[in-house]
Amino acid sequence: MLPPQDALREINDAIARSTEADGLTPTAVDHLFFARQSSPSLPLHIAQWPCFALVTQGSKRLTLGDEVYHYGAGDCLLVTLDLPVVSCIVEATPERPKLALGMAIDPGRLQEVLSRVSLPPEALRAEGGRGVAVHKAPAELLDATLRLVRLLERPQDIASLAPLIEQEILYRLLTGPHGPTLLRIASANSPANRIAKAIAWLRQHYAQPLRIEALAQHVGMSASSLHHHFQQATAMSPLQYQKRLRLQEARRLMLVDDLDVGSAGYRVGYQSPSQFSREYSRQFGLPPLRDVERARGRGEGYLPLTAA
């Protein structure tokens, strides 16, 4: 096994060779992609799905609710829930771009790993906590990640070996410092797993009026327990989460589908145009029309992204 800095350097070199333009680059390995950015960015409101991300050069900042996470070269960020976050490239230049990789977390493979491993007692006892965590990547995780990246040079081996290495990466995440964060969401009867079900319901029904008691009953929790654990996992209440979903979707509708302000607000559940404009301005810093004009002026779109 290579020393951690050597492994990180080799991964970084592979990402640099494989990415010419800024943005996300899919790879021949399912669930694995590379990311490159040549300059710092303004804060971007994104839909973040579960993944782990490893930065190999440069640095980023991610904001969840009022909490800020900084991560740079050698840091691994794990996200275990679908979360509306604000992402920002902090350190990047054309000569030394921000480089990173990300791997989407496949629930089926995670359950396969859980079915045959013994986890440390401290992970099993862990409760609460956010659906986001940042730690320095352990040497074993870097080693497994490097072997996954090396498969890109041997495409004939990808179909057979990539699923095995992906499971090893999930094992390293479960048994390393990220373990409690990942285990909470993977355990079928854990509060965090029920919060994941609540989030899935909110994503499907964000335009409908939110009744906490009905949502709590849907996921098998009391209203007070739902509110408590939802706040712990996401740093926001269910109502605040729904509001961010609505506003992000309205922004996407205006940017991508070219809907007017009134239609976008109504489509995501707002009955009052003035309330929509007021809450949009509070979230994005400008009224809807001015924000969309600014975003188009700087070539910004709206896509679900990852923390890479």
Side-chain angles (χ1 to χ4, degrees), residues 84-219:
V85 300
V86 182
S87 177
C88 183
I89 307 295
V90 175
E91 181 186 351
T93 67
E95 296 75 24
R96 286 185 60 82
K98 191 279 299 179
L99 298 175
L101 63 76
M103 189 187 84
I105 294 175
D106 182 280
R109 286 183 182 160
L110 178 58
Q111 290 301 327
E112 288 179 30
V113 175
L114 279 171
S115 70
R116 57 176 188 268
V117 301
S118 298
L119 296 170
E122 58 270 19
L124 296 170
R125 290 195 299 266
E127 296 182 359
R130 298 284 185 251
V132 174
V134 174
H135 295 283
K136 187 64 68 175
E140 295 80 6
L141 178 60
L142 286 173
D143 178 66
T145 303
L146 174 58
R147 283 185 278 110
L148 187 66
V149 169
R150 283 174 173 170
L151 284 182
L152 297 174
E153 301 173 358
R154 305 190 305 276
Q156 71 276 10
D157 294 339
I158 289 176
S160 298
L161 296 181
L164 301 177
I165 300 176
E166 182 181 339
Q167 288 188 7
E168 181 183 350
I169 289 172
L170 292 173
Y171 171 79
R172 296 302 180 188
L173 288 169
L174 281 166
T175 56
H178 285 92
T181 302
L182 190 54
L183 181 64
R184 280 192 296 269
I185 204 64
S187 301
N189 295 318
S190 69
N193 188 271
R194 296 184 183 188
I195 295 306
K197 293 178 181 177
I199 285 174
W201 189 94
L202 286 169
R203 285 199 170 275
Q204 292 180 342
H205 304 91
Y206 62 84
Q208 300 178 12
L210 175 58
R211 297 179 176 86
I212 295 296
E213 292 77 10
L215 178 59
Q217 185 177 13
H218 175 72
V219 299

Side-chain angles (χ1 to χ4, degrees), residues 202 209-212 215 227 230 236-246:
L202 286 169
L210 175 58
R211 297 179 176 86
I212 295 296
L215 178 59
H227 192 279
F230 201 102
M236 61 191 87
S237 69
L239 185 60
Q240 289 171 325
Y241 186 98
Q242 182 200 47
K243 183 184 298 183
R244 296 199 180 200
L245 286 182
R246 285 180 167 185

